[in-house]
């Protein structure tokens, strides 16, 4: 089918760090045309890049994977060049302290970094194009620099079909209509790393709010999801205003855009001024309780300063991006949900790091091969402990000075630590050695700090200790704890899978009769064998405004009280659940395997469940359907065919899942 699409061109940079000593790429202007909307074909796109020569050299290059070029010109004159399939190399006697302009047309058929999603069926209009260039993959769809250490100003234009929105970095300065397509022009006023260039094309509506400082906050959504706009983007303006104030440096870009896309590779990506995120976070008000966009929203927003404004020089300093974004997202959530939530999340991070240590996975925070848990969670903890060490005022002053001094530049850990030392007057060499360079994770230090700052965490740890040492009635301890605990996060701990078997039914009844949805959910998730005397209270969980609670309660009630199954099916038959249809698919699977139901209905339910494995649906829906069909041993020929197709899906997690499931069937 036709898919108009202009392959955005742009960028420039050097693959090898040495090129930065010779060339400074300044500005890219590119026009990308999307009028051949096929995954394997794009048309020639125009590209112009300006650069300064710092030292005399005989060549410069752009990274460009499997591209074709024509009309290559340097300062308007034909020039000698080489295309080796990975780079476009320009040969010339480049003179120091001179500026040059390179122009060309290019053709690309990207296998990575640019994805054409939802175009399989010509009868649908849900097709999208989106990019994900983090790492060194942007060069698969446009000439660029597979490195983070050269920052360029990008002014990009896109020719796209009528009826489609085009979202990219910077401010949209014009939208010109022609009989065949619309031309969208975007302008960036400040430089950024090439991997942060982004594009999304699709059918979107948008709403715009303005921050306290006047920054436009553009929030995109599918036209059919207008009722989900508010819960999806809930608290966005509050978090934006909070982070500007907390960080102390104004938002560095012209505007801020957020756009959901289908089958995205990750939760979200902090492209400069244009975050792209997985549309599984597009939710209704019920889903907000269990799976919302708030943390991802805050995390990607924090990256606009930490990662986009100042960018790591290499993976050794990756925590300067992910640790900072994790920490500041948690501060933004604290501003919304309160101190109890904040300290509980820090406690959870500490437990994850402890489990990693027990598994032998500890690494230095400055090890480029560290896990995400280390970069994200340990990085956040380091900032928390550093703030405790130097004090709030010195910490905030240091962060502000760090961002202002290195704005639009690349940074290393020493750059940040130096600013903290200047602001605090302290020598932090020992702190750096212990917290950043050492592989060891100081769990006890973290917990002791939490105990000092959080009464809830202190009480939780005291109760755990009492359970281990107590010789008197645990009922008394549990009851006292239930009465004294001040937050649902801590109360819910009573009903963890390790503790609930010790809890007396009277306390479980109190929990089920409480109005706190998270406490009730903790009971639902961990009380597998339901006492008959708690049956009525447990059945009330099916009325909770929580898709996780309903899903778990439906399964446990179905298992514990088989004589009541039809009642439970009738009550939940019209509930879909999250975007992955978690409740609907459980309902279908349980109906299929339940005895004494009509064969005609079972065939109907089996057909519906099988249909969800089709490429028509997002990978989360498909994966859920594959799992249920596999569990009930009902993956037939259609299911297996769709599973085979899924092994070639662009989302590597989903394709890996499909390959492993297919292998298990052989």
């Amino acid at each position: 089918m036709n898919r108009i699409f202009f392959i955005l061109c742009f960028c420039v940079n050097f693959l090898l760090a040495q090129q930065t000593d010779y060339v400074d790429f300044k500005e890219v202007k590119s026009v990308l045309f999307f009028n051949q909307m096929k995954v394997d074909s794009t048309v020639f796109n125009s590209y112009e890049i300006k650069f300064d020569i710092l030292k005399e050299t005989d060549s410069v290059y752009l990274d460009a994977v499997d591209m074709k070029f024509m009309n290559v010109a340097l300062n308007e004159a034909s020039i000698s060049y080489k295309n080796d399939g990975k780079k476009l190399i320009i040969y010339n006697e480049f003179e120091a302290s001179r500026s040059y302009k390179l122009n060309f047309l290019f053709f690309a058929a990207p296998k990575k970094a640019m994805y054409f999603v939802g175009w399989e069926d010509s009868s649908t209009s849900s097709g999208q194009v989106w990019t994900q260039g983090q790492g060194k993959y942007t060069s698969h769809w446009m000439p660029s620099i597979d490195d983070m250490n050269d920052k360029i100003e990008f002014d990009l234009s896109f020719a796209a079909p009528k009826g489609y929105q085009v979202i990219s970095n910077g401010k949209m300065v014009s939208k010109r209509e022609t009989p065949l397509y619309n031309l969208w022009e975007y302008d960036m006023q400040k430089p950024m790393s090439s991997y942060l260039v982004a594009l999304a094309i699709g059918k979107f509506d948008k709403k715009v709010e303005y921050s306290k400082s006047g920054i436009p906050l553009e929030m995109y959504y599918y036209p059919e999801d207008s009722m989900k706009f508010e819960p999806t983007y809930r608290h966005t303006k509050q978090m934006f205003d909070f982070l500007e104030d907390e960080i102390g440096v104004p938002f560095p870009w012209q505007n801020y855009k957020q756009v959901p896309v289908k089958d995205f590779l990750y939760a979200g990506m902090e492209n400069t001024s244009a975050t792209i995120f997985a549309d599984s976070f597009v939710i209704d008000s019920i889903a907000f309780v269990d799976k919302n966009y708030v943390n991802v929203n805050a995390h990607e927003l924090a990256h606009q300063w930490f990662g986009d404004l100042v960018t790591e020089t290499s993976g050794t300093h990756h925590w300067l991006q992910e640790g900072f974004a994790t920490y500041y997202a948690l501060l933004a959530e604290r501003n919304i949900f309160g101190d109890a939530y904040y300290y509980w999340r820090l406690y959870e991070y500490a437990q994850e790091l402890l489990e990693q240590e027990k598994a032998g996975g500890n690494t230095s925070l400055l090890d480029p091969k560290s896990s995400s848990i280390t970069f994200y969670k340990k990085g956040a903890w380091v900032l928390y402990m550093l703030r405790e060490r130097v004090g709030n005022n010195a910490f905030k002053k240091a962060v502000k000075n760090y961002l202002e001094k290195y704005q639009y530049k690349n940074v290393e850990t020493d750059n940040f630590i130096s600013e903290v030392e200047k602001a605090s007057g302290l020598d932090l060499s020992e702190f750096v050695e212990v917290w950043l360079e050492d592989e060891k994770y100081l769990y006890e230090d973290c917990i002791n700090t939490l105990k000092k700052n959080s009464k809830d965490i202190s009480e939780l740890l005291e109760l755990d200790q009492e359970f281990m040492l107590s010789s008197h009635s645990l009922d008394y301890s549990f009851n006292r704890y239930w009465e004294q605990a001040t937050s649902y996060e801590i109360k819910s701990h009573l009903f963890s899978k390790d503790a609930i078997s010790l809890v007396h039914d009277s306390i479980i009844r109190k929990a089920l009769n409480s109005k706190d949805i998270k406490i009730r959910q903790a009971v639902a998730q961990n009380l597998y064998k339901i006492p008959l005397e708690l049956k009525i209270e447990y059945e009330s969980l099916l009325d909770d405004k929580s898709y996780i609670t309903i899903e778990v309660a439906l399964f446990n009630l179905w298992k514990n009280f088989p004589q009541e199954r039809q009642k439970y099916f009738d009550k939940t038959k019209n509930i879909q659940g999250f975007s992955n249809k978690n409740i609907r698919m459980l309902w279908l699977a349980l109906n299929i395997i339940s005895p004494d139901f009509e064969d005609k209905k079972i065939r109907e339910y089996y057909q519906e469940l099988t249909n969800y494995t089709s490429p028509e649906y997002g990978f989360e829906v498909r994966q859920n359907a594959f799992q249920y069909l596999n569990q009930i041993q009902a993956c037939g020929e259609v299911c297996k065919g769709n599973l085979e197709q899924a092994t070639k899906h662009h989302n590597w997690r989903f394709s890996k899942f499909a390959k492993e499931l297919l292998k298990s069937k052989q």
Side-chain angles (χ1 to χ4, degrees):
M1 68 169 285
N2 281 338
R3 291 158 94 175
I4 119 169
F5 182 83
F6 287 145
I7 252 192
L8 150 94
C9 162
F10 123 70
C11 208
V12 64
N13 228 337
F14 36 72
L15 172 66
L16 301 176
Q18 292 91 320
Q19 185 165 241
T20 57
D21 295 332
Y22 292 86
V23 186
D24 181 12
F25 293 105
K26 307 295 288 188
E27 181 182 354
V28 167
K29 292 183 182 295
S30 181
V31 182
L32 307 172
F33 294 84
F34 293 90
N35 52 357
Q36 296 250 4
M37 295 298 269
K38 298 179 181 178
V39 175
D40 59 351
S41 178
T42 62
V43 300
F44 281 104
N45 309 284
S46 71
Y47 190 99
E48 174 185 296
I49 184 165
K50 295 177 180 178
F51 56 94
D52 295 340
I53 296 296
L54 307 177
K55 296 180 182 179
E56 183 178 300
T57 184
D58 61 2
S59 64
V60 299
Y61 67 82
L62 299 174
D63 293 295
V65 179
D66 295 331
M67 295 184 186
K68 297 177 182 179
F69 301 91
M70 62 184 298
N71 298 352
V72 181
L74 184 69
N75 291 347
E76 312 298 337
S78 296
I79 191 70
S80 176
Y81 71 93
K82 178 182 178 181
N83 176 12
D84 66 1
K86 294 184 178 180
K87 292 181 174 63
L88 172 65
I89 306 168
I90 306 298
Y91 297 101
N92 186 59
E93 295 301 320
F94 292 103
E95 300 177 16
S97 302
R98 282 197 57 186
S99 298
Y100 293 83
K101 183 176 69 174
L102 179 68
N103 294 83
F104 53 79
L105 299 178
F106 75 96
F107 172 95
K111 302 283 191 301
K112 293 181 179 179
M114 176 174 280
Y115 300 93
F116 295 73
V117 179
W119 301 95
E120 295 84 0
D121 183 357
S122 60
S123 64
T124 183
S125 61
S126 62
Q128 297 178 349
V129 179
W130 49 260
T131 59
Q132 170 57 21
Q134 186 169 21
K136 51 183 181 180
Y137 299 123
T138 296
S139 59
H140 286 259
W141 64 277
M142 67 180 175
S144 62
I145 302 300
D146 290 343
D147 191 284
M148 293 179 282
N149 291 286
D150 196 354
K151 298 204 171 186
I152 305 163
E153 178 194 338
F154 298 104
D155 295 329
L156 307 175
S157 300
F158 309 88
K162 290 179 175 295
Y164 286 83
Q165 287 277 334
V166 177
I167 303 104
S168 188
N169 312 89
K171 180 180 180 180
M172 189 189 78
V173 293
S174 73
K175 175 187 174 184
R176 290 184 282 172
E177 297 189 9
T178 76
L180 299 178
Y181 59 82
N182 293 331
L183 181 65
W184 304 71
E185 297 183 71
Y186 278 88
D187 168 73
M188 279 294 295
Q189 294 178 346
K190 300 294 184 179
M192 63 178 175
S193 298
S194 301
Y195 78 94
L196 294 167
V197 176
L199 169 68
I201 298 178
K203 297 291 184 73
F204 301 104
D205 286 339
K206 76 172 179 179
K207 294 184 181 180
V208 182
E209 292 187 40
Y210 290 86
S211 71
K212 187 168 58 177
S213 59
I215 297 295
L217 309 178
E218 302 179 14
M219 294 164 280
Y220 290 82
Y221 60 96
Y222 303 147
E224 64 270 23
D225 286 338
S226 61
M227 299 301 292
K228 296 181 179 180
F229 173 85
E230 189 282 325
T232 298
Y233 288 108
R234 189 175 294 172
H235 305 304
T236 293
K237 182 182 181 302
Q238 179 180 344
M239 291 189 295
F240 191 100
D241 291 337
F242 169 81
L243 287 177
E244 273 204 312
D245 181 66
E246 171 66 26
I247 294 169
V249 175
F251 183 75
W253 317 106
Q254 295 131 294
N255 55 24
Y256 186 54
K257 299 171 287 292
Q258 297 180 82
V259 55
V261 298
K262 180 181 178 182
D263 287 351
F264 196 54
L265 303 182
Y266 307 103
M269 177 61 199
E270 69 276 10
N271 310 294
T272 306
S273 78
T275 287
I276 294 175
F277 67 96
D279 65 5
S280 56
F281 287 102
V282 176
I283 54 162
D284 60 23
S285 291
I286 296 177
F288 184 89
V289 172
D290 300 315
K291 179 185 178 179
N292 58 60
Y293 179 52
V294 173
N295 181 262
V296 176
N297 188 341
H299 184 97
E300 307 310 334
L301 176 57
H303 269 311
Q304 298 297 316
W305 287 270
F306 306 104
D308 295 8
L309 179 60
V310 295
T311 308
E312 67 190 49
T313 58
S314 68
T316 299
H317 310 285
H318 194 47
W319 83 280
L320 292 176
Q321 299 186 181
E322 298 303 347
F324 272 77
T326 302
Y327 175 68
Y328 277 92
L330 196 52
L331 290 179
E333 289 187 290
R334 179 187 195 177
N335 181 251
I336 297 167
F337 302 124
D339 286 353
Y341 175 90
Y342 172 70
Y343 289 116
W344 179 253
R345 291 303 302 274
L346 282 169
Y347 176 77
E348 289 180 324
Y349 292 175
Q351 303 314 305
E352 288 183 62
L353 288 162
L354 180 62
E355 290 303 312
Q356 178 176 257
E357 181 180 52
K358 291 178 179 178
N362 271 14
T363 55
S364 162
L365 193 57
L366 301 182
D367 184 344
K369 296 182 180 179
S370 289
S371 68
S372 293
I373 291 177
T374 296
F375 284 134
Y376 289 64
K377 310 296 176 60
K378 186 177 181 181
W381 257 110
V382 165
L383 291 172
Y384 177 87
M385 296 300 286
L386 181 60
R387 194 168 189 160
E388 290 281 301
R389 174 78 174 85
V390 304
N392 186 62
N393 291 338
F395 182 86
K396 292 187 71 170
K397 180 180 179 182
V399 169
K400 184 175 187 294
N401 291 343
Y402 163 71
L403 290 172
E404 290 179 342
K405 183 175 182 178
Y406 296 103
Q407 60 183 330
Y408 312 112
K409 297 178 183 178
N410 294 82
V411 289
E412 297 184 350
T413 298
D414 285 346
N415 300 133
F416 172 63
I417 295 298
S418 176
E419 294 305 318
V420 183
E421 289 182 327
K422 290 176 186 177
S424 65
L426 298 175
D427 180 355
L428 295 174
S429 55
E430 182 179 352
F431 182 92
V432 170
E433 181 181 349
V434 171
W435 286 96
L436 278 75
E437 297 175 347
D438 200 316
E439 293 183 359
K440 187 178 180 181
Y441 168 55
L442 301 179
Y443 174 77
E444 291 300 329
D445 290 47
C446 295
I447 293 302
N448 288 335
T449 302
L450 281 183
K451 288 167 64 177
K452 179 184 72 174
N453 293 329
S454 170
K455 180 182 177 181
D456 281 334
I457 298 296
S458 180
E459 289 180 351
L460 167 69
L461 296 173
E462 287 177 9
L463 183 67
D464 284 348
Q465 186 70 13
E466 187 175 336
F467 289 161
M468 288 189 292
L469 301 177
S470 178
S471 59
H472 62 273
S473 172
L474 286 176
D475 289 346
Y476 171 79
S477 298
F478 274 113
N479 192 65
R480 178 179 62 81
Y481 186 70
W482 171 263
E483 297 299 333
Q484 293 182 358
T486 57
S487 71
Y488 79 78
E489 291 93 352
I490 308 303
K491 273 191 173 181
S492 295
H493 184 71
L494 280 174
F495 309 105
S496 67
K497 64 180 179 181
D498 296 324
I500 198 168
S501 62
L502 304 174
V503 181
H504 193 275
D505 286 356
S506 63
I507 298 177
I508 296 177
R509 178 173 280 109
K510 286 182 180 180
L512 289 172
N513 287 327
S514 76
K515 295 181 180 180
D516 194 301
I517 200 164
K518 284 294 186 179
I519 294 174
R520 289 167 57 83
Q521 184 178 101
V523 175
Q525 290 178 310
N526 296 301
L527 187 64
Y528 307 125
K529 185 172 179 56
I530 306 169
L532 185 60
E533 56 269 25
L534 293 178
K535 175 174 175 287
I536 294 176
E537 286 90 343
Y538 197 97
E539 287 177 338
S540 71
L541 293 169
L542 293 178
D543 295 314
D544 279 19
K545 301 297 184 182
S546 163
Y547 293 139
I548 288 178
T549 301
I550 295 171
E551 179 185 12
V552 173
L554 173 60
F555 177 78
N556 286 338
L557 288 166
W558 175 88
K559 186 176 181 180
N560 279 264
F561 307 110
Q563 71 280 6
E564 303 270 18
R565 285 173 177 173
Q566 188 60 58
K567 179 175 73 173
Y568 304 138
F569 288 151
D570 289 343
K571 190 172 184 62
T572 56
K573 64 181 178 181
N574 295 319
I575 305 175
Q576 296 292 313
F578 297 119
S579 60
N580 69 352
K581 300 181 182 294
N582 63 313
I583 296 175
R584 180 60 182 173
M585 288 199 205
L586 172 64
W587 190 94
L588 291 169
L590 293 180
N591 269 277
I592 291 170
I593 63 175
S594 294
D596 303 325
F597 285 88
E598 300 177 40
D599 289 344
K600 182 179 179 181
K601 286 290 185 181
I602 290 178
R603 287 195 296 271
E604 182 181 313
Y605 298 153
Y606 170 74
Q607 182 64 50
E608 181 182 346
L609 188 56
T610 300
N611 286 344
Y612 290 137
T613 67
S614 164
E616 173 187 349
Y617 295 94
F619 78 85
E620 295 99 338
V621 172
R622 300 179 67 191
Q623 183 163 318
N624 216 9
F626 284 131
Q627 287 173 324
Y628 274 117
L629 287 166
N630 182 60
Q631 288 171 3
I632 64 176
Q633 300 181 351
C635 186
E637 291 306 310
V638 173
C639 169
K640 290 177 181 177
N642 288 334
L643 185 60
E644 178 68 39
Q645 187 274 343
T647 64
K648 302 176 179 64
H649 197 275
H650 66 265
N651 187 293
W652 65 270
R653 291 181 179 85
F654 181 51
S655 63
K656 180 181 179 182
F657 159 83
K659 290 173 184 176
E660 291 175 350
L661 184 57
L662 195 62
K663 184 178 180 180
S664 70
K665 294 184 171 300
Q666 295 174 348

